[in-house]
Amino acid sequence: MKVHRKKCTIAVCTFNRSAFLEKILASLKKQTYLNFDILVIDNASTDNTKAIAEKYNAKYIFEKKQGIANARNAAIENSDSHYLAFLDDDETVDRDWLENMINALENYNAAMATGPVLPVYEKQPPDWMPLTVFEDKEIMRYKKNEKPFSLANGFSGTGNSIFLKSIIGKERFKTNLGRKGKSLISGEDSEFIARLFTKSGRALFVPGSPIYHFIPSDRTTFIWLTKRAFAEGVTEYRMNGVRILLRRIHKPILDLFALVFSLFTFNRKKLCQRWLRLSQSCGVVFGWGLR
């Protein structure tokens, strides 16, 4: 049996999605890398999350402060392994996901790494929805057998990530960012990772460690996509403050004109894309009034 010397904690933060949680825990139990534990951070759920965590012998932490940033900070505080990995509760992984991640960190002397995030749609997305909402063409072109490579500017999300615990140190996720309950505000992970990248200067992309992100049909509706785009704009404001507001205050007008002109293309995907850009710009401008 192969001995794995350095331990990893895999943190899964969750809120009222025990059915999703069970799927990811089941996939994690099949990992080829042996020296790891699973840490479930329950962000004040009211369903049977605790029972699912116990079913898979995961360490269970109840974090009563709502917000994904609070949950991720709880994961940092409650892990003492050499590595700390983050996954979202609506994902699944291959058997060699963790092994490939840790091999990459060790072989390339890196402090942090990410991999492909591949969408798995509950239903075929509507033909008017731009696939770029959930699909990154650059990421999706990589094959699992391709070698890891350095990322010049780090990466933006923790949904498929691993870090040396030592590089995290006293850094924590900012709690004025990130989702809380039904809020779609984000950015807590990209801001956190940017700080770590400044400290480490080395981040990897590992094609051999994809995750499969489940996209339910209610997240491919026009209303949900509009809300998310607006929330992305609010996130930009919260991350950058008045500076981004002054730079982008004219953008809703420009985006509105672009939307009107795109009406004449009769291209529904382009129309949707323009609408989402307008929604995001409005989120930046009006984000100052939201708390």
Side-chain angles (χ1 to χ4, degrees), residues 83 101-113 162-163 204:
Y83 302 105
M101 279 291 206
I102 291 180
N103 285 344
L105 291 180
E106 294 179 347
N107 294 337
Y108 290 81
N109 193 30
M112 51 203 287
I162 188 169
F163 306 89
L204 292 178

Side-chain angles (χ1 to χ4, degrees), residues 7-279:
K7 187 178 179 181
C8 179
T9 293
I10 303 172
V12 182
C13 302
T14 187
F15 172 62
N16 279 343
R17 297 209 289 191
S18 59
F20 289 107
L21 180 65
E22 181 154 22
K23 290 179 181 179
I24 189 169
L25 296 185
S27 71
L28 286 174
K29 282 298 184 179
K30 301 174 183 176
Q31 292 300 293
T32 57
Y33 193 89
L34 304 178
N35 194 8
F36 75 96
D37 60 12
I38 303 170
L39 177 60
V40 171
I41 307 295
D42 181 351
N43 198 198
S45 299
T46 56
D47 61 5
N48 63 330
T49 290
K50 183 177 182 180
I52 296 298
E54 291 174 345
K55 176 181 176 180
Y56 289 89
N57 297 317
K59 182 179 179 181
Y60 174 84
I61 301 293
F62 186 85
E63 174 52 62
K64 65 180 180 181
K65 292 180 182 177
Q66 260 292 317
I68 186 64
N70 289 316
R72 291 194 171 122
N73 287 338
I76 296 173
E77 297 291 344
N78 287 277
S79 62
D80 57 3
S81 299
H82 188 79
Y83 302 105
L84 175 60
F86 286 99
L87 291 169
D88 292 339
D89 61 3
D90 55 358
E91 300 171 344
T92 55
V93 297
D94 293 331
R95 295 177 69 250
D96 55 359
W97 171 78
L98 184 57
E99 182 128 37
N100 290 339
M101 279 291 206
I102 291 180
N103 285 344
L105 291 180
E106 294 179 347
N107 294 337
Y108 290 81
N109 193 30
M112 51 203 287
T114 188
V117 177
L118 307 178
V120 178
Y121 296 101
E122 181 180 20
K123 293 181 180 179
Q124 182 69 22
D127 58 7
W128 49 261
M129 189 189 86
L131 293 181
T132 51
V133 171
F134 295 110
E135 299 179 14
D136 186 320
K137 290 182 180 179
E138 182 70 12
I139 285 176
M140 294 188 73
R141 76 177 180 84
Y142 292 107
K143 304 291 191 297
K144 272 201 72 172
N145 59 358
E146 293 188 56
K147 293 181 179 179
F149 57 87
S150 294
L151 295 168
N153 300 304
F155 52 94
S156 61
T158 53
N160 182 9
S161 62
I162 188 169
F163 306 89
L164 287 177
K165 187 70 188 299
S166 59
I167 200 66
I168 295 176
K170 295 183 179 180
E171 302 289 349
R172 296 295 183 268
F173 292 86
K174 290 189 175 180
T175 55
N176 67 321
L177 297 171
R179 297 187 177 184
K180 294 181 181 179
K182 294 182 179 181
S183 167
L184 296 178
I185 306 299
S186 56
E188 83 296 336
D189 48 0
S190 56
E191 192 280 334
F192 174 80
I193 292 167
R195 278 185 279 130
L196 294 190
F197 185 71
T198 299
K199 289 171 63 176
S200 69
R202 188 78 189 275
L204 292 178
F205 184 84
V206 186
S209 290
I211 63 92
Y212 306 94
H213 180 205
F214 179 71
I215 312 293
S217 55
D218 62 5
R219 291 194 175 189
T220 59
T221 65
F222 186 75
I223 292 176
W224 190 90
L225 294 173
T226 299
K227 288 180 179 178
R228 194 185 85 153
F230 185 85
E232 287 174 345
V234 176
T235 299
E236 281 190 67
Y237 173 78
R238 290 192 180 180
M239 291 179 69
N240 300 286
V242 176
R243 181 181 57 189
I244 191 73
L245 177 61
L246 294 175
R247 216 170 71 207
R248 298 276 296 276
I249 198 165
H250 64 288
K251 274 286 287 173
I253 297 174
L254 296 179
D255 289 336
L256 179 58
F257 276 116
L259 175 64
V260 171
F261 283 122
S262 65
L263 288 170
F264 299 101
T265 68
F266 301 102
N267 185 321
R268 295 202 296 170
K269 276 189 179 178
K270 183 172 288 187
L271 273 169
C272 182
Q273 203 164 40
R274 295 293 187 187
W275 171 259
L276 295 179
R277 286 181 185 175
L278 173 61
S279 301

